[in-house]
Amino acid sequence: MTDLVIRNARVMTCDPARPGLGMIDHGALVIAGGKIAWIGDDAEAPSAGYTIDARGRLVTPGLVDCHTHAIFAGDRANEFAMRAAGTPYLEIAAAGGGIHATLEPTRGAADDTLVELTRERIACARANGTTVIEIKSGYDLTNAGELRLLRCIARAAVVAGPRIVPTLLAHLIPADRAVDRDVYVRSICDQLVRAAATERLATSVDVYCDEGAFTLAETRAILTTAKACGLAVRGHVGQFRDLGAAELLGELGARSADHVEQISDDGIAALARAGVVAVMLPGACVQLRLPVPPVDKLRHAGVPLAVATDLNPGSSYSESLPLQLWLATTHYGMTVEEAWLGVTRHAARALGVEAGRLVTGAAGDVVLWKCNDPADVPYHYGANHVDRVWIAGVL
Ligand SMILES: [Zn+2]
């Protein structure tokens, strides 16, 4: 493979060894063998290889979407219309909508269909600059069905496509298991989590700990099992009600606590102590008209903040991280710098993967933008500013 040289660029390295976003205003980089082989000032750039003149435009790490539910069939446009007319989400869910409405089409879809649908969503994410994408199971709710979804997620990977990070999600107690939910939770622990670990189908386990989903005790049981099986743990926390899951995730040394619209001061302190990433999901927050998470308190406690799409058919049907940059900066009160670190370095940390920074030896996951200032992307929102995307050095 010929070396690729990108010259005359405003490079956002997101390198923690540099301040802020690690900007190199007159920068250049070289990708060789799929990795960043050199990065620095343009004046010192090696000249060998196929050269692209960025004409002063922005070059960043490939974006990392650390929270998606990208594998599902069907859609819930009807619920979107109901919410737009003022019906609350929990009311729609109680009437058979919400997550339950996605179960039937997903269970009924053939493997090939699910793989194809997921690939289409991944392609859309890549067109918006995403080069690493986490995908959760969670729209089947039977043990065999959840394992099938994880196998389909593994199949969805394509050459020069974003790297996929698979997560097993305990999403909800299905309606027909409400009577024996203890047995259901035990089977998740004893069968599903263990099978996912043994077959290496997931690298982490996530539990939706909230009103109408799993209790704190059930969350503890599932995540403790996951840890014992060698899997990383994370959680959907306090989207509607604070059940104390942030404290639990801190105690367990989780990778991330996601949503956190509702979180206590003790919960924030627990995340800060354990270095747990708080994942902001502003798309879902806006659509469900929920209160904004306490970003200022999280920031001052030193909790690393990531930003993700929460791509799902109910509350946030979007593959676009640039749109989340806009919501994070305008609706959540995050700075431009915080939002960008949230879709790069901090998102990678939430997934436990090497990505989201441009440093020598890192994967050659690079985005060339049509604009030249990091603020341009959230500022001029809705337009796709992505010019070109390389994944492991492949355009
Ligand atoms: Zn989610």
Side-chain angles (χ1 to χ4, degrees):
M1 196 191 302
T2 317
D3 293 1
L4 172 71
V5 188
I6 303 177
R7 302 273 316 250
N8 191 19
R10 262 197 105 190
V11 182
M12 179 197 294
T13 64
C14 299
D15 179 355
R18 300 170 187 263
L21 293 172
M23 300 298 298
I24 307 174
D25 279 338
H26 302 283
L29 61 86
V30 178
I31 305 175
K35 293 185 182 304
I36 306 291
W38 184 91
I39 184 161
D41 284 325
D42 187 74
E44 296 158 20
S47 56
Y50 175 72
T51 301
I52 288 172
D53 180 359
R55 305 198 311 276
R57 291 174 301 160
L58 189 63
V59 166
T60 72
L63 307 185
V64 179
D65 195 347
C66 67
H67 183 136
T68 89
H69 304 256
I71 186 160
F72 62 88
D75 71 68
R76 295 187 345 233
N78 59 328
E79 291 182 15
F80 181 86
M82 286 167 75
R83 283 203 310 274
T87 313
Y89 177 80
L90 289 178
E91 203 172 298
I92 293 170
I99 294 161
H100 290 288
T102 298
L103 294 181
E104 206 178 309
T106 304
R107 286 171 175 169
D111 288 6
D112 286 352
T113 305
L114 286 170
V115 170
E116 201 47 47
L117 287 168
T118 306
R119 280 182 181 163
E120 284 172 14
R121 294 172 193 133
I122 294 171
C124 181
R126 181 179 56 188
N128 283 279
T130 297
T131 59
V132 176
I133 185 168
E134 185 257 13
I135 303 179
K136 304 174 197 295
S137 71
Y139 285 118
D140 189 285
L141 306 185
T142 67
N143 289 351
E146 291 294 316
L147 292 171
R148 177 178 85 108
L149 292 180
L150 288 172
R151 290 189 195 101
C152 289
I153 290 170
R155 275 186 56 200
V158 292
V159 175
R163 191 167 11 138
I164 297 172
V165 181
T167 299
L168 170 66
L169 171 63
H171 210 170
L172 211 67
I173 307 277
D176 60 351
R177 300 304 301 268
V179 285
D180 67 340
R181 64 185 288 156
D182 288 359
V183 178
Y184 180 69
V185 171
R186 213 174 316 127
S187 82
I188 292 177
C189 296
D190 295 344
Q191 294 161 31
L192 181 54
V193 171
R194 286 176 202 288
T198 307
E199 292 185 47
R200 296 179 182 277
L201 290 170
T203 52
S204 63
V205 173
D206 186 342
V207 179
Y208 196 166
C209 182
D210 212 316
E211 182 176 317
F214 291 90
T215 65
L216 186 63
E218 290 164 347
T219 303
R220 176 184 287 279
I222 296 166
L223 294 184
T224 304
T225 306
K227 276 198 81 173
C229 292
L231 298 170
V233 299
R234 54 193 303 194
H236 284 62
V237 171
Q239 186 180 16
F240 299 102
R241 267 189 61 196
D242 178 17
L243 303 184
E247 289 88 330
L248 172 65
L249 291 177
E251 177 195 325
L252 295 177
R255 287 248 170 84
S256 71
D258 304 38
H259 285 294
V260 298
E261 278 86 346
Q262 308 291 336
I263 184 170
S264 67
D265 291 349
D266 285 349
I268 292 172
L271 298 185
R273 259 196 315 274
V276 180
V277 178
V279 179
M280 306 289 104
L281 302 164
C285 181
V286 166
Q287 283 208 38
L288 300 182
R289 304 181 192 186
L290 299 174
V292 170
V295 168
D296 201 40
K297 283 186 175 182
L298 290 161
R299 172 195 289 138
H300 281 110
V303 177
L305 302 176
V307 177
T309 62
D310 197 13
L311 166 59
N312 78 80
S315 58
S316 184
Y317 200 171
S318 173
E319 292 89 346
S320 169
L321 281 172
L323 268 184
Q324 312 310 317
L325 286 179
W326 170 55
L327 290 171
T329 47
T330 56
H331 191 66
Y332 271 29
M334 293 174 72
T335 65
V336 168
E337 181 181 310
E338 285 172 333
W340 270 103
L341 290 177
V343 297
T344 53
R345 197 170 88 209
H346 291 167
R349 176 171 167 173
L351 296 181
V353 297
E354 280 298 324
R357 62 182 80 180
L358 297 178
V359 294
T360 306
D365 296 352
V366 177
V367 179
L368 170 63
W369 300 80
K370 294 171 188 165
C371 49
N372 57 26
D373 190 289
D376 285 340
V377 178
Y379 163 55
H380 185 177
Y381 63 92
N384 191 346
H385 298 278
V386 172
D387 186 340
R388 272 171 272 186
V389 179
W390 290 268
I391 297 178
V394 179
L395 183 66

